Amino acid sequence: MAAMKPRTGDGPLEVTKEGRGIVMRVPLEGGGRLVVEMSPGEASQLGDALKGASG
């Protein structure tokens, strides 16, 4: 039986390179994580979009 762990959104944003892709894990309010896998090109586009939106 699996260990029971609390599902909280606490914790840092994590980005790791796995194989040829990049995996981003975003903690969510209310618990859990959003996991997104993307190519390096998509990660670059996301970075540019975030920089543009933040000023």
Side-chain angles (χ1 to χ4, degrees):
M1 181 175 231
M4 297 298 288
K5 296 181 182 178
R7 293 183 57 110
T8 64
D10 295 340
L13 169 77
E14 297 176 11
V15 180
T16 58
K17 184 171 184 190
E18 296 184 11
R20 293 184 179 181
I22 295 172
V23 177
M24 177 175 65
R25 293 175 180 87
V26 181
L28 299 176
E29 192 172 315
R33 291 186 177 265
L34 171 67
V35 179
V36 180
E37 184 173 359
M38 62 193 94
S39 70
E42 291 168 330
S44 178
Q45 290 175 346
L46 175 61
D48 293 341
L50 290 170
K51 286 177 190 172
S54 65

